Amino acid sequence: MNSLSPANKLENLRTIMKKYQQDAFIAMSADPHMSEYLPDYWKIRQWLTGFTGSVGTIVVTQDFAGLWVDGRYWVQAEQQLENTGYVLQKQTPDESSTHLTWLSQHLAKDAKISVNGNTISTQQYSALSALAIEHNFFIQTDLDLIDEIWTERPALPLQPIWQMADDLNAQTRLEKITAIRHKLIQKKATGHFISALDDIAWILNCRGRDVEYNPVFLAHLYIDHSRTVLFIDDAKLSTEMQQRFALDNIEILAYNASIEFLLELKQQNILIDPAKVSISYAQAIEQQSHLVQDINPSSLFKSQKQPIEITHIRSAMTKDGVALCHFFHWLDNALADKESIDELTIDEKISGFRAQQAGFIGLSFSTIAGFNANGALPHYRATEESFSEISGDGLLLIDSGAQYDEGTTDITRVVPIGTASAEQKRDYTLVLKCHIALAQTVFPEGIASPLLDSITRQTLWKYGLDYRHGTGHGVGYALNVHEGPQVISYYAPVTPSTKMREGMITSNEPGLYHQGKYGIRIENLVVNKIKHFEDTTYGQFLEFETLTLCPINLTCIVLDLLSHDEKAWLNQYHQTVRERLAPHLEGDVLKWLNENTQAI
């Protein structure tokens, strides 16, 4: 699309910075909706640097260019930043490792900092603004420096949206809007502005294809006690959708009309989620109204899946499990027949088997198929330019998922290729023990989810081992594969919104990575359900129901390292997998399932 190298683009950026007298440029990995996965138009950090990870922050001055990423991406970033002019900055939970600290230490007093106000959240801007006040920096948010140098910038997507089938949702959109209005009363807010795409899709019971892997559509939404206004390009709306929205008294305004609309609000108290609304919209509201800052009520509502939704999700898991059985049966045969297989083949085959399932929409993220050293990169992705053949001895890590009309899946399995070493088997078993520890956990309802992480990691910590990513992220209902507010990670702050509630779906994915050698991760999705006790003196408790249905490889397990209870959990899990999937399989694939779910 563009023949310029990252070094050329960096040179052009510095030239345009001089033109506008900007001492520093900051680029966040975001769009005006604070999305994780971005439309091509907003992939600024990737376009500038060539780094393809999902998160990262750039800082550029006339004599420095750095990319800040967390431990998941250190190896990948180091490889992809070579000869780009950008220097990897390893970010850790320590505040001293952030780009804000770097700015405070390296910029002169009165320095001018350019950051696109559409791509920095209100919360992030508050931190940057506090730094600017302390050091007398000037922040300019109304410049789009990139637009002047990205001459072949893609257009924003215009994919049509669709209405979910009525029987897939526990509530109508009017019921959800009413629930939000009740929350506005509690928070003493007169209106609510929403930019988060998954929140908007959930509220409206609609889905779209504007963002790869996430069934969402570009839009903003405003709700007060008498109006609901959807800001969207009407090219996305069929006549039927326009009629449906009209019946529900939902007004349609142009996608780019939201700023003007907010500027006209007078003496209102407008609720925004500071982590999910950009500073451009917040400042527009503050021209004549007041901000009420809190988490979107819809974020909490949608995180707690209703019984009918969990039933549909179980159905999606069955479909996914059937597809995975066909895939792993194929893989075993292909390996036995010494077929030529590479990491790209894995992606092609696993996607193909999923596409055969009813209700398949697409993948929920790019498939991670990493053999040996590539598996040690938690977010590795094979490309036509760089991939590995799968041959010899080692471990193949496969992290994949799908979007179905009934739910979202995300699963990781590790397969031995040839002969696994004793070290690999030990490490695999330790990760499995961590996975089982979390799966068996019973915990008080309302506990802060980050606190559960230490239970998971205990086994690895006893061996002086660890991994640099969270153990669990929330998962949407036929929505984003990464969803809050709960997160099982000791890196995450403990806040009121991270409390564990019934119906939340979270990943259980401990791992272990040896750079340059191999990686291991075992992942299932689990749902919080009530654990019933006769004595409720100490309140309500929750436990996990494992939703994912796929055998966990048995050949890498060191049985002596598993306790009786751990073996019992694994046997029960495999019995459930067999009972749920067997009715949908036949022949050699059914035989494969039975063989790979035998009791140990």
Side-chain angles (χ1 to χ4, degrees):
M1 180 179 292
N2 196 311
S3 58
L4 291 177
S5 69
N8 295 144
K9 296 170 187 175
L10 179 57
E11 182 180 355
N12 291 345
L13 174 59
R14 284 174 168 153
T15 298
I16 208 74
M17 288 170 62
K18 286 182 180 178
K19 174 183 174 181
Y20 289 101
Q21 299 180 331
Q22 299 298 306
D23 299 298
F25 167 82
I26 301 175
M28 323 295 292
S29 293
D31 62 5
H33 309 277
M34 300 299 112
S35 305
E36 176 185 8
Y37 291 92
L38 308 175
D40 289 343
Y41 179 90
W42 289 108
K43 292 180 179 178
I44 295 169
R45 183 255 308 144
Q46 180 175 329
W47 180 80
L48 280 173
T49 68
F51 171 66
T52 58
S54 62
V55 293
T57 300
I58 294 171
V59 172
V60 175
T61 65
Q62 291 300 324
D63 56 10
F64 171 82
L67 170 69
W68 276 257
V69 292
D70 62 44
R72 297 171 295 171
Y73 297 106
W74 289 350
V75 177
Q76 177 184 345
E78 193 166 27
Q79 294 171 351
Q80 293 183 330
L81 293 182
E82 187 175 0
N83 299 322
T84 64
Y86 290 87
V87 179
L88 168 64
Q89 303 295 304
K90 295 182 177 180
Q91 187 164 326
T92 70
D94 191 333
E95 284 296 319
S96 66
S97 69
T98 67
H99 70 284
L100 295 179
T101 299
W102 189 94
L103 291 169
S104 69
Q105 295 173 345
H106 292 85
L107 292 189
K109 184 180 178 181
D110 299 324
K112 294 179 180 178
I113 302 172
S114 176
V115 57
N116 188 328
N118 288 318
T119 62
I120 181 170
S121 73
T122 303
Q123 185 177 74
Q124 292 167 331
Y125 182 82
S126 295
L128 180 60
S129 179
L131 183 76
I133 293 171
E134 180 181 354
H135 295 275
N136 205 31
F137 299 153
F138 176 77
I139 305 171
Q140 188 153 355
T141 60
D142 58 354
L143 288 177
D144 187 350
L145 301 183
I146 297 302
D147 208 41
E148 294 203 26
I149 62 174
W150 193 353
T151 57
E152 299 178 14
R153 193 169 185 174
L156 289 172
L158 293 173
Q159 296 297 314
I161 75 171
W162 69 88
Q163 176 84 35
M164 295 180 73
D166 291 340
D167 62 346
L168 292 177
N169 290 287
Q171 297 171 290
T172 68
R173 59 174 152 258
L174 288 182
E175 289 172 332
K176 293 177 178 180
I177 291 169
T178 298
I180 290 170
R181 285 172 171 154
H182 286 314
K183 285 293 183 181
L184 296 185
I185 295 172
Q186 294 176 16
K187 297 178 185 297
K188 296 183 171 58
T190 54
H192 181 27
F193 183 71
I194 308 163
S195 288
L197 300 182
D198 57 334
D199 283 287
I200 295 169
W202 179 86
I203 292 167
L204 298 178
N205 288 342
C206 291
R207 299 295 186 266
R209 296 184 185 274
D210 278 348
V211 182
E212 191 176 21
Y213 308 121
N214 295 336
V216 296
F217 48 93
L218 299 187
H220 299 280
L221 189 65
Y222 174 80
I223 299 172
D224 63 22
H225 295 292
S226 61
R227 301 177 72 187
T228 302
V229 183
L230 177 63
F231 302 92
I232 188 170
D233 193 310
D234 60 10
K236 302 175 188 291
L237 302 178
S238 65
T239 301
E240 179 188 1
M241 284 306 309
Q242 292 182 38
Q243 292 171 345
R244 284 175 176 264
F245 285 141
L247 286 173
D248 289 336
N249 294 316
I250 295 174
E251 303 173 46
I252 305 298
L253 292 181
Y255 175 67
N256 58 8
S258 52
I259 290 282
E260 182 180 351
F261 178 91
L262 296 174
L263 286 169
E264 293 176 354
L265 295 175
K266 296 180 180 179
Q267 300 304 311
Q268 302 296 309
N269 295 321
I270 306 300
L271 171 66
I272 68 163
D273 186 331
K276 295 185 177 183
V277 169
S278 79
I279 189 61
S280 292
Y281 298 99
Q283 290 176 338
I285 293 169
E286 287 185 302
Q287 290 296 309
Q288 300 192 79
S289 290
H290 306 284
L291 291 178
V292 178
Q293 299 189 37
D294 202 353
I295 189 171
N296 286 340
S298 51
S299 295
L300 296 171
F301 289 150
K302 71 179 169 60
S303 70
Q304 295 179 249
K305 280 62 177 177
Q306 300 301 307
I308 185 63
E309 296 168 340
I310 295 171
T311 297
H312 284 297
I313 292 166
R314 292 192 185 103
S315 176
M317 293 294 175
T318 299
K319 295 173 184 178
D320 210 51
V322 168
L324 290 166
C325 285
H326 281 279
F327 165 75
F328 283 113
H329 169 257
W330 165 83
L331 179 60
D332 281 357
N333 286 340
L335 292 170
D337 295 340
K338 301 189 184 303
E339 291 184 22
S340 177
I341 305 173
D342 58 46
E343 293 166 338
L344 295 175
T345 312
I346 299 298
D347 187 3
E348 175 188 348
K349 288 291 184 179
I350 202 168
S351 300
F353 284 119
R354 282 187 165 117
Q356 296 173 18
Q357 297 298 309
F360 175 80
I361 296 173
L363 302 184
S364 56
F365 57 95
S366 59
T367 299
I368 300 169
F371 182 51
N372 281 343
N374 292 337
L377 305 175
H379 286 255
Y380 169 78
R381 183 180 184 182
T383 65
E384 294 287 350
E385 296 74 32
S386 178
F387 63 89
S388 292
E389 298 286 339
I390 298 170
S391 61
D393 297 327
L395 297 180
L396 172 62
L397 184 153
I398 305 172
D399 188 348
S400 65
Q403 298 283 4
Y404 299 94
D405 56 7
E406 292 188 284
T408 303
T409 70
D410 181 3
I411 174 176
T412 308
R413 292 292 185 266
V414 173
V415 179
I417 305 298
T419 303
S421 69
E423 178 189 28
Q424 289 170 335
K425 290 183 176 181
R426 184 208 68 166
D427 288 348
Y428 180 91
T429 308
L430 295 181
V431 172
L432 176 59
K433 288 170 70 70
C434 291
H435 180 95
I436 295 173
L438 183 60
Q440 291 183 314
T441 298
V442 177
F443 48 95
E445 184 175 30
I447 193 172
S449 54
L451 301 181
L452 299 177
D453 201 14
S454 61
I455 295 173
T456 315
R457 298 177 191 255
Q458 273 299 304
T459 295
L460 287 178
W461 286 349
K462 289 177 181 177
Y463 284 77
L465 302 169
D466 204 355
Y467 48 96
R468 294 191 181 102
H469 60 73
T471 294
H473 56 81
V475 178
Y477 171 49
L479 262 177
N480 294 4
V481 74
H482 291 161
E483 177 183 275
Q486 82 276 21
V487 56
I488 301 176
S489 172
Y490 72 86
Y491 298 114
V494 173
T495 67
S497 62
T498 60
K499 293 180 179 180
M500 292 294 255
R501 300 297 184 190
E502 182 182 8
M504 287 180 166
I505 293 177
T506 314
S507 65
N508 173 2
E509 51 179 313
L512 185 59
Y513 311 92
H514 295 298
Q515 184 175 337
K517 297 171 68 177
Y518 58 87
I520 298 165
R521 185 163 64 252
I522 300 173
E523 176 186 16
N524 287 335
L525 299 188
V526 297
V527 60
N528 297 351
K529 67 176 187 179
I530 298 295
K531 173 73 172 179
H532 294 285
F533 292 102
E534 290 185 11
D535 185 354
T536 58
T537 303
Y538 298 99
Q540 192 78 264
F541 284 79
L542 298 172
E543 62 181 345
F544 292 122
E545 172 193 337
T546 297
L547 296 169
T548 304
L549 299 170
C550 182
I552 294 172
N553 188 277
L554 299 173
T555 61
C556 276
I557 298 174
V558 180
L559 292 177
D560 289 346
L561 290 178
L562 292 185
S563 69
H564 174 78
D565 285 347
E566 289 167 337
K567 291 177 182 176
W569 181 92
L570 185 59
N571 289 338
Q572 181 59 56
Y573 173 68
H574 277 154
Q575 181 179 333
T576 300
V577 170
R578 187 168 59 251
E579 291 173 350
R580 291 274 302 280
L581 298 184
H584 306 279
L585 300 170
E586 58 185 18
D588 289 343
V589 181
L590 176 58
K591 181 180 178 182
W592 179 91
L593 172 67
N594 290 329
E595 290 174 350
N596 285 273
T597 54
Q598 292 297 310
I600 59 173

